[in-house]
C-alpha cells in the first residue's frame, strides 16, 4: 500500500478507536503519527514533531487561562449580569444575539479564531444564564463567526480574491460575502430548530444568577442577597438543569466592580484590541495578561490555572499533528491532482468541494483556500463552467466545517463549554461537522455551481 492509502486508513482508525473506546482521540492521533511517520514514511522524530501546531497550542492555553481567571474572580459574571439585564426574560432572542455577537469581529476584519477566542466565553456564559441548550449556543457561536468570514475586510476574502486573480479568474466580492452569509444563516436556523430554539418562543425564563446552572438552582434563595429560586427547575434538553418558564426576570443584585475586576476587564479589552485591531498574536497576549493578573492578585484568582482545558488542547493538537503529516506526505495534493484530471467539470467541481470540506475540517481553512483555487484553475479558465460559482462553493465548503472540534474555532468554542457538558458538546460538534463535510458540498454544488454550468 502507498503512504497515501495508509495515511488515510490511519486517520479513519484514529476516529473509530477514539469514538468506540474511552481514550482521548489526540493521544491516538499522536501514536498514529509516530507509527505511520517512522514505519512507513521513514521520518525522524524531529520531522514528526514539525507538524505539531504551536500557534494553536498557545492560543488554546492562553485564552482558556485568561478567561478561567476572569471567571474565578467574578468579572465574567458581572459582564453576564449586564447582558441579562438588557435581554430581560426573552430567551428566544439569546441564540440569535450570540450569532450576531460572534459575527461582528469577522465582519470587521478579524479572523475567526481571534473573534471567537474573545467572545466564546461571554456567549456560552450567556446561554448558560438562560438555560439555552449548550449545543445550540456552541453552534451559534461557530456559524455566527463563519457568517462574517468573507466580508471585504476579512483576510479570508483577500486570500480568495488574490488566488483567483493570480489564476486569471474573477469573483464578485458581494457574491462571495452574501453567499457565505446566507449559508451560515440557514445553518444557524437549522441548529435553532433542532436544539430547542423554537420552544423558547413559548417561554419567559428566569435568568440564572452567578455560578453553574446546577449550583445556582440548588443554592438559589439561600444566603443574604441571593436571587429567589426559579420555579421549579426543569431538565434541559442537553441533560443539564434549566430554569422553568417564569413571568418575571430575576437576577442577582448588581454590585460595583472591585479594583482587581476593573483591572481584569481592562486586560481583556487590551487583549481584544491588540488582537482584533493591531493583529497581534492573541494567544501570547492572553498568556501575558493572565500572568500579570495572577501575579498582581494571587488570592483573587486562586485555581484559575486549573481551568486550562488540557484535554481539549491534547485532542486538537494531536489530530492536527497527524493531518499535517498527511500534508507533508503529499496525500492531500495527490487526491486533488487526481480529481482535477478527471475531465468532467461538474464532477471535478463537486469533488474539489468535497476534498476542501474534508481537509479543512482538520486543518487551516485559510491555507487550504490558497491551494484549492489553483487546483481548480485549469478547468475553470476553459470556460466550461462558471468560475465565480465554483470559487464561492469552494470557499463555503472549506469554512462551514469549522464547526468540527478540530478546527481552531470549534476547539475554542468547545473549550468554553461547561466541563460537565463538554463531552456532549464535543459529540454534537463532531457529528454536525462530519455531516457538513458531506452535505455542504452537495448544497453548494446545487446552489452555486449547477446554475452557472
Amino acid at each position: 500500500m502507498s503512504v497515501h492509502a495508509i495515511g488515510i486508513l490511519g486517520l479513519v482508525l484514529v476516529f473509530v478507536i477514539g469514538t468506540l473506546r474511552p481514550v482521548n482521540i489526540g493521544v491516538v492521533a499522536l501514536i498514529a503519527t509516530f507509527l505511520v511517520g517512522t514505519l512507513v514514511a521513514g521520518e525522524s522524530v524531529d520531522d514528526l514533531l514539525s507538524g505539531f501546531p504551536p500557534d494553536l497550542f498557545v492560543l488554546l492555553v492562553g485564552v482558556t487561562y485568561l478567561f478561567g481567571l476572569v471567571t474565578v474572580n467574578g468579572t465574567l459574571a458581572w459582564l453576564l449580569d449586564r447582558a441579562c439585564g438588557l435581554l430581560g426574560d426573552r430567551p428566544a432572542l439569546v441564540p440569535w444575539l450570540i450569532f450576531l455577537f460572534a459575527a461582528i469581529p469577522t465582519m470587521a476584519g478579524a479572523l475567526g479564531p481571534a473573534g471567537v477566542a474573545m467572545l466564546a466565553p461571554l456567549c456560552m456564559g450567556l446561554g448558560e444564564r438562560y438555560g439555552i441548550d449548550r449545543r445550540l449556543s456552541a453552534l451559534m457561536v461557530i456559524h455566527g463567526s463563519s457568517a462574517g468570514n468573507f466580508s471585504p475586510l476579512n483576510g479570508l476574502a483577500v486570500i480568495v480574491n488574490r488566488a483567483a486573480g493570480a489564476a486569471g479568474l474573477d469573483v464578485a466580492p458581494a457574491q462571495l460575502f452574501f453567499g457565505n452569509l446566507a449559508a451560515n444563516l440557514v445553518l444557524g436556523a437549522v441548529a435553532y430548530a433542532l436544539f430547542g430554539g423554537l420552544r423558547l418562543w413559548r417561554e419567559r425564563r428566569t435568568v440564572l444568577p452567578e455560578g453553574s446552572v446546577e449550583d445556582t438552582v440548588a443554592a438559589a434563595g439561600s444566603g443574604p442577597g441571593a436571587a429567589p429560586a426559579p420555579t421549579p427547575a426543569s431538565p434541559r434538553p442537553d441533560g443539564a438543569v434549566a430554569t422553568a418558564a417564569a413571568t418575571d426576570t430575576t437576577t442577582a443584585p448588581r454590585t460595583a466592580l472591585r479594583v482587581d475586576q476593573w483591572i481584569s476587564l481592562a486586560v481583556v479589552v487590551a487583549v481584544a484590541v491588540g488582537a482584533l485591531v493591531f493583529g497581534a498574536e492573541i494567544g501570547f497576549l492572553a498568556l501575558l495578561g493572565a500572568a500579570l493578573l495572577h501575579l498582581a492578585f494571587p488570592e483573587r484568582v486562586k485555581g484559575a490555572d486549573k481551568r486550562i482545558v488540557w484535554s481539549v488542547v491534547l485532542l486538537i493538537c494531536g489530530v492536527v499533528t497527524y493531518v499535517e503529516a498527511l500534508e507533508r506526505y503529499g496525500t492531500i495534493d495527490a487526491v486533488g491532482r487526481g480529481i482535477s484530471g478527471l475531465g468532467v467539470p461538474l464532477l471535478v467541481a463537486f469533488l474539489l468541494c468535497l476534498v476542501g470540506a474534508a481537509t479543512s475540517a482538520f486543518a487551516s481553512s485559510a491555507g487550504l483556500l490558497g491551494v484549492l483555487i489553483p487546483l481548480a484553475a485549469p478547468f475553470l479558465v476553459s470556460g466550461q463552467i462558471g468560475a465565480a460559482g465554483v470559487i464561492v462553493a469552494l470557499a463555503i465548503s472549506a469554512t462551514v466545517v469549522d464547526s468540527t472540534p478540530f478546527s481552531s474555532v470549534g476547539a475554542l468554542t468547545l473549550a468554553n463549554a461547561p466541563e460537565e457538558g463538554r463531552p456532549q458538546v464535543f459529540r454534537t460538534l463532531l457529528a454536525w461537522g462530519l455531516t457538513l463535510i458531506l452535505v455542504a458540498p452537495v448544497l453548494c454544488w446545487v446552489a452555486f455551481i449547477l446554475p452557472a454550468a
Side-chain angles (χ1 to χ4, degrees):
M1 294 177 68
S2 70
V3 65
H4 304 318
I6 293 174
I8 293 173
L9 177 61
L11 184 63
V12 173
L13 287 176
V14 164
F15 284 97
V16 171
I17 295 171
T19 301
L20 297 180
R21 305 302 299 167
V23 59
N24 191 299
I25 291 177
V27 172
V28 183
L30 287 173
I31 294 171
T33 304
F34 175 76
L35 294 177
V36 174
T38 55
L39 300 180
V40 181
E43 289 190 316
S44 67
V45 174
D46 287 342
D47 293 332
L48 297 178
L49 292 177
S50 68
F52 185 86
D55 54 342
L56 190 53
F57 175 86
V58 172
L59 175 66
L60 288 170
V61 172
V63 169
T64 56
Y65 183 19
L66 176 61
F67 278 96
L69 188 148
V70 298
T71 299
V72 168
N73 73 1
T75 306
L76 185 61
W78 183 88
L79 291 171
L80 292 173
D81 282 342
R82 270 51 189 176
C84 293
L86 294 175
L87 284 170
D89 60 351
R90 295 179 289 275
L93 300 178
V94 173
W96 288 111
L97 188 64
I98 290 173
F99 186 99
L100 177 62
F101 281 171
I104 290 173
T106 48
M107 286 187 180
L111 291 178
V116 170
M118 301 310 301
L119 290 176
L122 288 170
C123 290
M124 295 296 288
L126 188 61
E128 287 295 300
R129 287 294 184 92
Y130 280 89
I132 307 298
D133 192 309
R134 290 160 182 160
R135 299 166 294 183
L136 176 57
S137 296
L139 289 171
M140 286 306 215
V141 169
I142 292 168
H143 287 297
S145 173
S146 297
N149 271 340
F150 296 101
S151 155
L153 301 176
N154 192 279
L156 287 180
V158 174
I159 291 171
V160 170
N161 289 324
R162 283 183 179 175
L169 305 170
D170 186 38
V171 57
Q175 183 180 4
L176 180 61
F177 172 66
F178 287 110
N180 176 70
L181 176 62
N184 282 282
L185 281 170
V186 169
L187 290 171
V190 172
Y192 191 83
L194 288 178
F195 298 110
L198 298 178
R199 186 190 69 255
L200 297 175
W201 288 99
R202 300 190 296 270
E203 298 180 359
R204 291 168 62 106
R205 184 170 291 185
T206 301
V207 181
L208 294 173
E210 180 181 352
S212 71
V213 178
E214 293 81 357
D215 291 342
T216 296
V217 173
S222 63
T231 61
S234 60
R236 281 170 49 140
D238 56 357
V241 179
T243 53
T247 56
D248 296 304
T249 298
T250 309
T251 59
R254 296 179 181 177
T255 58
L257 286 178
R258 302 186 307 266
V259 172
D260 64 297
Q261 292 173 324
W262 273 115
I263 295 175
S264 298
L265 190 58
V267 167
V268 170
V269 171
V271 170
V273 171
L276 302 180
V277 178
F278 297 103
E281 174 55 50
I282 189 171
F284 282 109
L285 286 180
L287 277 176
L288 174 61
L292 291 175
L293 288 173
H294 217 150
L295 286 170
F297 307 103
E299 293 303 316
R300 290 290 189 182
V301 297
K302 189 176 295 183
D305 53 336
K306 294 182 175 62
R307 293 188 176 235
I308 299 173
V309 284
W310 293 111
S311 61
V312 174
V313 173
L314 177 59
L315 170 72
I316 307 310
C317 291
V319 172
V320 170
T321 301
Y322 186 82
V323 174
E324 287 291 327
L326 295 185
E327 291 188 352
R328 282 198 309 278
Y329 307 151
T331 302
I332 309 302
D333 286 342
V335 172
R337 286 193 302 270
I339 289 171
S340 297
L342 292 176
V344 182
L346 282 174
L347 178 60
V348 170
F350 169 72
L351 291 177
L352 283 175
C353 288
L354 187 62
V355 169
T359 307
S360 184
F362 308 99
S364 165
S365 300
L368 188 65
L369 286 172
V371 174
L372 281 175
I373 295 174
L375 280 176
F379 77 92
L380 289 179
V381 296
S382 68
Q384 299 178 58
I385 190 170
V390 174
I391 292 172
V392 172
L394 284 172
I396 295 173
S397 298
T399 52
V400 293
V401 292
D402 282 350
S403 52
T404 65
F406 309 108
S407 73
S408 50
V409 169
L412 285 164
T413 305
L414 176 65
N416 284 287
E419 185 174 357
E420 70 276 7
R422 200 171 291 146
Q424 187 184 42
V425 174
F426 170 77
R427 290 192 296 270
T428 298
L429 293 185
L430 180 60
W432 183 271
L434 293 179
T435 301
L436 284 182
I437 289 174
L438 300 175
V439 172
V442 174
L443 296 181
C444 289
W445 188 82
V446 171
F448 301 106
I449 297 174
L450 196 57

